[in-house]
Structure formats: C-alpha cells, structure tokens
Amino acid sequence: MVLDVLLALLTVAAVLATIRLALGPSLPDRVVALDLVASVGVALCALSAIRYRSVVMLDAATLLAVISFVGTVAFARYLEWRSRP
C-alpha cells in the first residue's frame, strides 16, 4: 500500500516536471526539469522493481540513470560552450 502511494506521488512529480520542461522560460530551466524527469523515472523503476519483484526493472533504472547522467553532462558542456565569447 505504501509503495502504491509512493508510485502515485512520483507520477505526479513527473507530470509537474514535464510541465516545467514544456513551459520553462530558459534552456537551463528545461535542462534541470529534464534531469528531474529522469531522476523520477529512475525512482519509479526502482519502486516498480520492489513492488512487482522484478530484477529487470533495476537494470532499466541503472541504464536510465547512466544515460541521464551523460545527457546532463552534455547539456552542461553545451551551455558552457554557448556562453563563451
């Protein structure tokens, strides 16, 4: 029961972060929102693995975390490169 509540709260957080991603006033705001969506996705995968006793979901969470990290670093490098004169 607690896991179901946590899954529902994380789903709401993902929806709110997706709205921020769509409406963000600047590119850095959208990058942070995208990172938040990915982090919530990792948490959703991990809780789903616990809820449904599925080891495959932990693999998906790990893969999503690695891809999210690489994407965030790439966006940060792009923003740094774009701000140089």
Side-chain angles (χ1 to χ4, degrees), residues 19-36:
I19 291 170
R20 170 50 72 191
L21 179 63
L23 301 177
S26 67
L27 185 59
D29 289 330
R30 290 182 172 157
V31 171
V32 170
L34 183 62
D35 192 42
L36 178 62

Side-chain angles (χ1 to χ4, degrees), residues 2 10-11 20 32 47 50 57 64 67 83 85:
V2 173
L10 282 173
T11 303
R20 170 50 72 191
V32 170
L47 284 177
I50 294 169
M57 292 300 288
L64 182 59
I67 290 172
S83 67

